[in-house]
Amino acid sequence: MDVLGPFWTRISAEVPLPLEVLVGAAVAALVVVASPALWRPARTVVTIAHEGAHGLVALGTGRRLAGIRLHSDTSGLTVSAGRPTGPGMVLTLLAGYVGPGLFGLGAAALLATGHAVGVLWAVLGLLALLLLQIRNFYGLWAVLVTAAVVLGVTEWLPPTGQAAFAAGVTWFLLLAAPRTVLELQGARRRRAAPGSDADQLARLTRVPAVVWVGLFLLVDLAALALAASWLLVV
């Protein structure tokens, strides 16, 4: 208890975020998402969230998680064992492209209640769980580097700096999620993604893949709009 008490006080500390900080974080995240030079390395963070969402839902629906791989081209693969059809498989496939947006929405809920520091510790907890399932060297490196950055922020920045960083991460996930869906559809138009989540869902459900792409985009845009209403509307 002597250890847990101060730790809990630290991660549950309420740090108010002025509107100008939230707006500045949103602008910074938008620059990263819109800039080709910055987007390429930052996209790995979205892949981590994407594959992590697959893994969480696979476990939540009773499937056995066999491992997660992250690749240097920012693609990823989550392998789970269980029925090849049915609701569990559908939900697992559905989770990937909506995962980053929903993670961002959850982070926005914490920001809106003043628990910005808690966002960073929640990220560290999820990264620790993901690390147990990584099955390739690049994936291990990517998760460890991401965790090291977040841990460094929690150790070296004051609470206000941690809160601003958490806001940036939140906006990045919210803004990056729709872009990845648009990239998916672009790849599908070029016939470069025949095994995409949307195409696998189409084969499982007989609902056209473009409908699933539209659903991904709708969920991600709704998460962005809802988070913005929580954080930016005075």
Side-chain angles (χ1 to χ4, degrees):
M1 290 300 295
D2 290 339
V3 175
L4 292 179
F7 178 70
W8 177 251
T9 299
R10 179 181 178 185
I11 68 175
S12 62
E14 293 190 21
V15 182
L17 275 171
L19 181 60
E20 56 267 28
V21 174
L22 288 167
V23 172
V27 171
L30 181 59
V31 169
V32 173
V33 172
S35 167
L38 297 175
W39 172 245
R40 173 74 185 200
R43 198 185 189 286
T44 296
V45 175
V46 189
T47 304
I48 289 173
H50 178 115
E51 300 303 332
H54 278 315
L56 283 175
V57 174
L59 291 173
T61 56
R63 301 181 63 80
R64 183 173 60 82
L65 195 56
I68 295 173
R69 292 176 176 268
L70 306 173
H71 304 132
S72 58
D73 62 357
T74 74
S75 66
L77 177 66
T78 298
V79 179
S80 62
R83 288 186 58 195
T85 60
M89 190 65 201
V90 170
L91 289 172
T92 298
L93 288 169
L94 178 61
Y97 280 98
V98 302
L102 294 179
F103 284 142
L105 184 62
L110 289 175
L111 289 180
T113 58
H115 293 93
V117 175
V119 170
L120 301 182
W121 286 98
V123 169
L124 285 172
L126 290 172
L127 288 173
L129 292 175
L130 180 64
L131 194 61
L132 299 175
Q133 296 296 331
I134 293 296
R135 294 295 183 267
N136 69 324
F137 179 77
Y138 181 82
L140 179 66
W141 178 85
V143 174
L144 286 176
V145 168
T146 304
V149 170
V150 177
L151 185 60
V153 168
T154 65
E155 292 296 324
W156 297 327
L157 291 185
T160 52
Q162 295 179 44
F165 184 84
V169 171
T170 299
W171 284 117
F172 174 74
L173 290 173
L174 290 165
L175 292 166
R179 173 164 181 171
T180 61
V181 177
L182 295 176
E183 288 179 344
L184 166 65
Q185 185 56 20
R188 291 189 65 256
R189 281 198 301 268
R190 298 190 304 272
R191 302 183 185 279
S196 73
D197 294 350
D199 290 283
Q200 291 184 65
L201 283 165
R203 288 191 286 271
L204 281 174
T205 64
R206 299 188 180 179
V207 175
V210 69
V211 174
W212 289 107
V213 174
L215 179 60
F216 298 160
L217 187 59
L218 180 63
V219 172
D220 287 336
L221 290 176
L224 174 58
L226 184 55
S229 73
W230 291 344
L231 299 177
L232 301 181
V233 177
V234 179

